[in-house]
Amino acid sequence: MLESPPLMLDIRANLGRVQEAVARACARAGRSSDDVLLIAVSKTMDAERVRMAVAAGVAALGENRVQEAREKIEALGRPVPWHLIGGLQTNKARDAARLFDWIHSVDRLELAQELSRRAHSAERTLNILLQVNLGDEPQKGGVAPAETKRLCEAIVGLPGLRVRGLMAIPPAAPVPEETRPHFRALRELRDGLGLEHLSMGMSADYEVAIEEGATMVRVGTAIFGQRAPVAKEKS
């Protein structure tokens, strides 16, 4: 019997610890862990490491950049759904609509219309989330909370798209508990729109996010380890 390489064992152990933490957070909130999708954020990780994560049992993969994801999808195929969790330029909508199953970062009508056109042309249906800028931070993408309903109503019904929920990256906080009000606000906004999913919470604060109703958490370093810096993707 062949032994697993050390890196594979590390990823498997890390994934197990995160899955246990998800289960504990769900128990505290009186929820089933089946209600929370753990997305392994594989940005900057090479295809072989991502392959190991899939073998270890990750249920979904998240990427920030279209170009990087394209290379991995071409190498690995679609063993699990691929989620685009980073910002998306309209001129990359064609590739995004072809490559991804879920897009978490739709924050303007122009982008949604282009994704719709590309997905419909490719005879695909994309699951999309509307990204909300909870902290009114200019360096982050996202629609303002007060404008979310208007954007949702404008997008619902576009061919090739299914609006499934909301996503946010709250303002950075020194301790996870300080993000709780932001997660709660996103949940209340989602509930008011009658949508299903909440993509919120990352490696530092996903347990609090789950307690506040997250249905998707985006966890990278807690599964893969620390990342190397990467150059900015070209326009």
Side-chain angles (χ1 to χ4, degrees):
M1 181 177 177
L2 294 176
E3 293 185 2
S4 298
L7 179 57
M8 175 70 179
L9 296 176
D10 288 345
I11 291 173
R12 192 183 300 277
N14 290 345
L15 178 61
R17 282 190 287 269
V18 173
Q19 289 171 330
E20 290 172 0
V22 168
R24 290 193 300 270
C26 286
R28 290 194 296 271
R31 305 175 61 195
S32 168
S33 56
D34 292 338
D35 296 335
V36 178
L37 176 66
L38 174 59
I39 301 170
V41 180
S42 49
K43 65 178 184 180
T44 79
M45 299 297 164
D46 60 66
E48 184 55 31
R49 186 172 294 209
V50 177
R51 193 191 309 276
M52 291 179 182
V54 172
V58 302
L61 292 164
E63 287 284 334
N64 272 43
R65 306 192 308 163
V66 173
Q67 173 64 32
E68 183 182 343
R70 178 168 56 235
E71 295 169 358
K72 294 176 189 176
I73 294 171
E74 288 174 353
L76 301 173
R78 298 177 179 277
V80 297
W82 291 86
H83 294 239
L84 178 65
I85 61 175
L88 178 61
Q89 299 170 328
T90 304
N91 64 1
K92 289 184 167 54
R94 180 181 64 178
D95 284 344
R98 176 177 61 86
L99 293 169
F100 292 97
D101 304 289
W102 290 75
I103 295 178
H104 292 223
S105 49
V106 177
D107 60 0
R108 57 198 185 279
L109 181 58
E110 176 192 18
L111 174 59
Q113 289 171 331
E114 185 64 10
L115 285 170
S116 170
R117 186 169 74 88
R118 297 297 186 177
H120 184 63
S121 175
E123 299 184 339
R124 297 195 74 210
T125 298
L126 285 176
N127 297 294
I128 67 167
L129 306 179
L130 306 183
Q131 182 174 355
V132 182
N133 192 331
L134 292 173
D136 191 26
E137 298 175 278
Q139 76 277 19
K140 290 181 181 177
V143 61
E147 295 298 317
T148 305
K149 182 178 180 181
R150 189 195 309 264
L151 178 62
C152 184
E153 291 173 345
I155 294 174
V156 168
L158 288 178
L161 301 184
R162 293 181 65 200
V163 182
R164 303 294 303 278
L166 304 179
M167 183 274 262
I169 305 172
V175 294
E177 188 62 31
E178 293 185 14
T179 61
R180 189 180 297 276
H182 295 290
F183 293 145
R184 188 171 296 156
L186 192 70
R187 184 190 73 222
E188 292 171 353
L189 187 59
R190 185 277 313 264
D191 291 348
L193 296 173
L195 298 173
E196 177 184 3
H197 286 291
L198 280 175
S199 171
M200 59 187 195
M202 298 185 288
S203 286
D205 55 18
Y206 66 89
E207 293 185 60
V208 173
I210 290 169
E211 292 171 1
E212 291 300 328
T215 64
M216 299 178 178
V217 291
R218 311 177 302 270
V219 179
T221 54
I223 295 172
F224 289 101
Q226 292 299 317
R227 307 180 188 282
V230 293
K232 185 177 180 181
E233 186 174 30
K234 295 181 180 179
S235 300

